[in-house]
Amino acid sequence: MQNTDKPMTRWQRFKDNDIVWSFFHSPGAVIAATIATVVILACIFAPLIAPFDPFDPAQISLWDGKLPPAWVDGGQPQYLLGTDNQGRDMLSTILYGGRLSILVGLAAVCLGMVLGVTLGVVSGYVGGVTDAVIMRIADVQLTIPGILLAILINGIGRVVLPLDMRDEFAVYVVVLAIGLTDWPQFARVTRGATLVEANKEYVQAARIIGLPGWLIMLRHILPNTLRPVLVIATIGLALAIIAEATLSFLGQGIPPTTPSLGTLIRVGNEYLFSGLWWITFFPAIALVVLVFAVNLLGDWMRDALNPKLR
Amino acid sequence: MFFFILRRLGQSLLVMAIVSAVSFSLFNFVGDPVNNMVGQDATREQRIEIRQQLGLDDPILSQYTRFLGNMVQGDFGLSYRIKRPVDDLILERLPATLELVFVSAVIALVVGITLGIYTGIRRGTWASRAILSVSLIGVSLPTFIIGIALIYLFAVHLRWLPSSGRSGTIDFGWWKTSLLTVDGWRAIILPAITLSLFQLTLILRLVRAEMLEVIQTDFIKFARARGLSERAVNFRHALRNTLVPVITIIGLNTGGLIAFSVITETVFQWPGTGLMFIQAVDFVDVPIMAAYLVFVALLFVVINLVVDILYFIVDPRIRLGG
């Protein structure tokens, strides 16, 4: 009963939050979060951390091309993970590439989430024909596998752009392609949650005092549907990063001039047969670690937010 | 039963209508079809003639009905790049994809269900834990990275298996099979494993989760109390009741296998429909893109329909409720 006497400080309330509690009491989550944070921070601050700037021609020399990692015979200490075919330092390229991969993944998930949540809340709250139309579209889209759809949208997007703008806007096209493919999951979950919330008394109360529908959706229903959305968003982030890497690996995504992790793996793959394993190996490891950490976080979050399992 | 299937059929038709509309608009809005069919130096008259041949000046609705009519007959016109009928091209490459998908589905099913049952029954042993940890990594690994890793290990490093292409094919009319020769099997094994791994982990985790849930139910406890052998309890009673969700996943995953065959076929340069699709996207070969889209959607719709009907047969509760 002591809490009622004295209002809790923000920090105490934060500590008492069930999600935060569960976080600090599962070692897997803490490890995953640490790895994810380190990798994501390293990538975001790539310009500050990276020993070289892979986009600065003055720092690249072809003479230093195809050098193995520093600990292998023939490696040079300033290139810790070796260099690629153009003489770029692998470590720096990976950091910059990871940065692009994360940014594209985040942007794509945000696009899918905003689109899906909006349509989901509207669909669940308005109901009727609107609901039927939105959900049918989601159903149809779910029958076609995401990666195929992304390849298709991406291909169309590139064709629609004039030739000289294709490389420049490739990143946006990829974001659009992935974002447009993953909205149905968000829409379905949000719609389900909205249907539950819309019948509760606080929503009826808001309706009675005459609030407009959009305000009820935005201020009252939306915040209460966000928990499951958070879980899907985390798993969606991992999937979006994989989707971007896959598109780029297939040569459909981000061009080699500003490589993402997928582009780096694609370029490196051509040198695999000549024994230059590090050009593919390190970007691939970076991608796997990144995706694995995000997946672990998602797994933990699903358990933590599911009251049945607590 | 009849109405249930009828309703599903209606939904399937709706899906196909929307997909065909998308694929029709691909023809009209992506690039200029006339430019794609004639060379750079075609005269104005030639262009107008082709426009009329293709009926591009007709109202959009009659163009769409004509497109639908052709589509139902499997006619998607000529590929812009190879100048051959698209349906021939797809039929030619279909056996390669179907054999790849078939072999990987068998691998995923057999290994996935076996390991799923094992980890479900013997939970807590170190082997189960190891299998589960590895399966989590399997979910995180993008298909193409698995492919590259397998190529590096078995083709570049150990030199046991070929790294790309399809070989040792034997003709049966239009169907070229590679499943009857040693060379063919050597070529298919790496791409098939690559394609199956993701589905395998999904099936494994699903079967395990279902087993864990079923084993706790009363009828299993009762079966044990009756003194039935461990084997009978696990396989006759428990496994059978895990099958409904497994059938769904298997059905939906066959579609997933076809989708991911695009990636696997590119990594291994496997001459199937997926590789053809990627090349078509590269060269903006709209007829192939459109046909492939319709083809995949049709496969999905058929698979979903079959799964729904299977439900009906497997689970009496749905039969009575519907």
Side-chain angles (χ1 to χ4, degrees), chain B residues 178-197:
Chain B
S178 66
L179 296 181
L180 292 175
T181 57
V182 179
D183 264 1
W185 275 100
R186 277 164 50 91
I188 207 172
I189 197 79
L190 285 186
I193 291 177
T194 308
L195 190 53
S196 70
L197 270 184

Side-chain angles (χ1 to χ4, degrees), chain B residues 113-133:
Chain B
I113 293 185
T114 315
L115 292 182
I117 295 172
Y118 178 79
T119 49
I121 298 174
R122 301 246 184 287
R123 62 189 297 212
T125 60
W126 68 267
S128 297
R129 285 196 190 160
I131 293 170
L132 280 180
S133 317

Side-chain angles (χ1 to χ4, degrees), chain B residues 28-77:
Chain B
N28 282 280
F29 301 117
V30 178
D32 179 3
V34 178
N35 261 349
N36 284 314
M37 298 191 70
V38 299
Q40 288 285 332
D41 41 277
T43 60
R44 216 180 116 74
E45 285 72 34
Q46 280 174 319
R47 282 167 195 273
I48 291 174
E49 195 189 314
I50 290 190
R51 270 196 88 79
Q52 274 163 356
Q53 262 177 25
L54 292 174
L56 289 177
D57 296 324
D58 299 347
I60 206 98
L61 206 63
S62 69
Q63 281 192 51
Y64 179 56
T65 33
R66 192 168 53 228
F67 174 82
L68 275 184
N70 289 342
M71 189 187 90
V72 172
Q73 294 164 29
D75 177 11
F76 283 90

Side-chain angles (χ1 to χ4, degrees), chain B residues 148-163:
Chain B
I148 294 176
L150 287 179
I151 289 182
Y152 185 70
L153 187 61
F154 290 104
V156 179
H157 198 70
L158 296 171
R159 292 171 191 279
W160 287 354
L161 297 164
S163 67

Side-chain angles (χ1 to χ4, degrees), chain A residues 198-221:
Chain A
N199 286 324
K200 288 195 179 160
E201 283 171 354
Y202 72 92
V203 175
Q204 287 171 0
R207 234 183 258 174
I208 289 167
I209 60 174
L211 286 184
W214 63 270
L215 205 62
I216 298 179
M217 285 188 243
L218 188 69
R219 286 245 291 268
H220 299 269
I221 295 179

